[in-house]
Amino acid sequence: MVKIALLVPNKKMLEIAQHVTEEQNIDIEYMKEIQTVDAVNEARSAVEQGVHIIVARGYQAKLIKEYTNIPLVEIRFHAQEIGLLINKAKAIIKKESPKIGLVVFENMLCDMSHMEELFGVRLFISYLNKMEDMVPKLYEMSKFKPDLIIGGENVCREAERMGYPALFYDSTEESIIEALQAAKKMAYAAETEKQNIAQFETVLDTAFNGIIKINAEGKIIVINKLIENLIGKNAEDVIGLSIADIFPEFDLTAVNSILQGERENYTISVNIRNYAWMLMMAPIQYDESIMGAILSLQKVSEVIRKDKSYQQDMFLHGFVAQTTFRHIYTENQQMEKVLEMAKEYALSNSPVLLYGEEGTEYYLISEAIHNNSIRKSGPFISISTRGMDKDQQLQVLFGGQTGIDDAQSRRNGALVKANHGTVFIKGIEHLTLRAQHQICRLLTSHSITRTDAQPMDNLDVRIMAFSKVNLRYLVKTGKFSEELFYLLQGLTLDIPGLNQRPEDLIYYFNKFIREYSQKYNKYFTVTEGAYGKVTQLLWKGNLLQLRAFCERLVITSKKRSIDEVRIQKLYSELYPHISEAKGEDKIVVYKSPEAAQLSAILEKYHGNRNLAAEELGISTTTLWRRMKKYGIEANYK
């Protein structure tokens, strides 16, 4: 039961309070007359004796509120009490419309809006923040020449010393009754809240899921025992901390989108302490406002854990995925959606098909999905089928040798080695129809077969694959199994190239320039024009092409500044346009029409800029700028 304490500044108020509590049948656990200097210690003493709510007045209430976090109800003057004080003052002054000064703490007054009109007086109110303000406030009030000053004991004493009549304010039953009724309502609400919390804590402690409650600022309010065990900390140690500080694995952008009402719910996979979890988030909404969110962590069922010798063998053979989603950088919204979907796919055991250009992050994403799934403890094996004939494909995927069919030879196959793990197939569009048929059998029956009638190995392996072409087109031409297409097409990811992600393109360009600058001890500044040129060029090889380009750029650049001319010249040199002429592919260094015209005119005048500028109808300065823009100045200096 919630207990109430009443602390008052004088004996008269204590007697009134005792009478009120008996008459109103209000149960007060602790009632005492106290000195202002002892207010904070008395409040703490009351709490030590089991009190939950304190009722106090004036400066004593202000001190308790400032120096403790104890729930507090302040005794304020009732309007009726203010009216009685004003009438009493008028009787003392014996004036029809006297000037009356009130020097009080702001937390003591009720609404004073119409008091002057109702009682025919002029009121001058001065609010105190601390006792030291009393004398300065009284001197300020003396400017209004009040006929009488109403205040507490110290105010009255100082006012009389200054020559003003004074009237001590005192509380009547009304203000004490009003405060105690407010305390009773607070106690009832607190008792209800305690019961709700107790019920909620029981639900939390008996739940099979980890539960986290956060407020609208993303601060942790409640965690249950499962979360305590997971993070190795007690609830008291994390309450009030940011969710990002305790769980850096969580996507803070997604958490904020829940708190801002942009999502109704969010479900994704996360990897915490080397285990796969399903994270579910939903907002706490009240009166059309979001007050916080509930986050639930459910442990995904594990595959069979490998013994230490098997784990060591995996590491020795390189069958371990290194990448997590935290290693994949992006500032691009389209790519962020791809990564979010990939995290959702990690909750599934079904195949994943990734589409994209060469050099995109398809391999990193496949590793991250594996590491966010229940298969994290199993092997991750990557193979490329391009350039293999049909026998090589079957041997690499399924094991065995031509003419040999035994268990030992089958163990050499990637799909057998990856049991309880993942096989990533790069270039799945190059698989023969026979290999495609065998993979279909594996995905539908979880076994490798030599014939449809003779199962050979029961396997639990997840397949992820990458293709540069949409398999739907190959199905139409009969080059890809329709059955396998539908088995793979369920969970697909379309990875955008760097040219579709200009912010990521610039990020990686800077990253590679810094990396190779440090490696070769050469440092450069990059102009805005260079950055603009980088985003205009075509990077079909994405990260692979960009990295190689940046290394060449750093190694061969002679000037300390890299501009658009240097970028364009090197790009044209490394990746010239290939055109077909008379049945033969020929390399052509591409020039824009304006650049071609400029080169032709300079050639015509043997590099004479004045004559070239005159024919073009431009100044020599403009001509120079255009030469620099197209990288022509090297030949015509």
Side-chain angles (χ1 to χ4, degrees), residues 92-326:
I92 293 171
I93 300 167
K94 296 179 180 179
K95 280 188 178 181
E96 187 64 30
S97 300
K99 297 178 182 179
I100 299 174
L102 268 74
V103 182
V104 295
F105 288 94
E106 190 173 5
N107 62 347
M108 296 179 64
L109 288 184
C110 59
D111 184 7
M112 302 289 289
S113 303
H114 301 288
M115 290 296 177
E116 290 183 325
E117 183 182 346
L118 289 170
F119 293 97
V121 297
R122 289 287 310 279
L123 291 177
F124 301 96
I125 302 173
S126 185
Y127 293 115
L128 299 174
N129 288 317
K130 52 185 183 294
M131 289 304 297
E132 290 78 7
D133 295 339
M134 179 184 65
V135 174
K137 293 289 185 182
L138 283 169
Y139 275 103
E140 284 180 18
M141 185 163 285
S142 65
K143 299 175 184 177
F144 304 109
K145 298 180 180 179
D147 297 306
L148 180 142
I149 292 176
I150 298 174
E153 187 177 333
N154 292 329
V155 170
C156 290
R157 188 183 304 114
E158 186 64 27
E160 287 172 348
R161 192 187 66 77
M162 294 173 64
Y164 292 102
L167 178 61
F168 176 72
Y169 55 59
D170 210 346
S171 294
T172 63
E173 292 186 357
E174 282 72 19
S175 61
I176 295 176
I177 289 172
E178 194 171 80
L180 291 177
Q181 291 294 346
K184 279 184 67 177
K185 290 178 181 178
M186 184 184 288
Y188 176 77
E191 187 68 33
T192 303
E193 181 67 13
K194 280 176 64 179
Q195 293 175 6
N196 291 338
I197 289 174
Q199 292 173 4
F200 185 52
E201 286 178 347
T202 301
V203 171
L204 290 180
D205 291 338
T206 56
F208 292 105
N209 294 356
I211 306 293
I212 307 164
K213 182 180 179 182
I214 60 176
N215 63 16
E217 288 75 43
K219 306 291 185 182
I220 296 173
I221 301 174
V222 178
I223 62 173
N224 68 349
K225 290 290 183 185
L226 194 150
I227 296 295
E228 286 183 331
N229 295 335
L230 177 62
I231 63 178
K233 295 181 180 180
N234 294 325
E236 309 88 69
D237 299 327
V238 300
I239 300 301
L241 298 180
S242 169
I243 188 70
D245 294 335
I246 304 303
F247 289 99
E249 302 89 348
F250 290 1
D251 185 346
L252 191 58
T253 303
V255 175
N256 289 336
S257 69
I258 288 286
L259 294 175
Q260 291 166 13
E262 297 170 0
R263 296 172 181 259
E264 293 184 0
N265 55 68
Y266 181 70
T267 303
I268 211 158
S269 67
V270 291
N271 193 280
I272 305 172
R273 309 297 189 270
N274 291 323
Y275 289 100
W277 300 79
M278 180 166 63
L279 170 64
M280 294 166 283
M281 287 189 282
I284 303 170
Q285 196 161 354
Y286 175 74
D287 196 21
E288 298 185 357
S289 296
I290 294 174
M291 315 301 292
I294 296 291
L295 287 72
S296 174
L297 279 172
Q298 180 180 344
K299 200 171 187 178
V300 182
S301 300
E302 290 187 86
V303 296
I304 300 172
R305 305 288 286 184
K306 304 291 187 301
D307 59 38
K308 290 185 178 180
S309 62
Y310 192 93
Q311 294 278 2
Q312 185 178 16
D313 186 64
M314 281 168 47
F315 277 98
L316 289 174
H317 287 84
F319 298 157
V320 179
Q322 304 291 340
T323 307
T324 67
F325 282 107
R326 283 191 288 172

Side-chain angles (χ1 to χ4, degrees), residues 34 161 207 262 361 373 480 491 500 628:
I34 64 170
R161 192 187 66 77
E262 297 170 0
E361 297 94 326
S373 74
F480 200 86
L491 304 181
Q500 297 172 263
K628 185 175 181 181

Side-chain angles (χ1 to χ4, degrees), residues 313-344:
D313 186 64
M314 281 168 47
F315 277 98
L316 289 174
H317 287 84
F319 298 157
V320 179
Q322 304 291 340
T323 307
T324 67
F325 282 107
R326 283 191 288 172
H327 296 131
I328 305 174
Y329 176 86
T330 186
E331 294 179 7
N332 179 264
Q333 288 186 354
Q334 187 180 355
M335 187 63 170
E336 285 174 354
K337 290 179 180 178
V338 170
L339 295 178
E340 182 178 319
M341 195 176 296
K343 292 176 186 176
E344 294 170 340

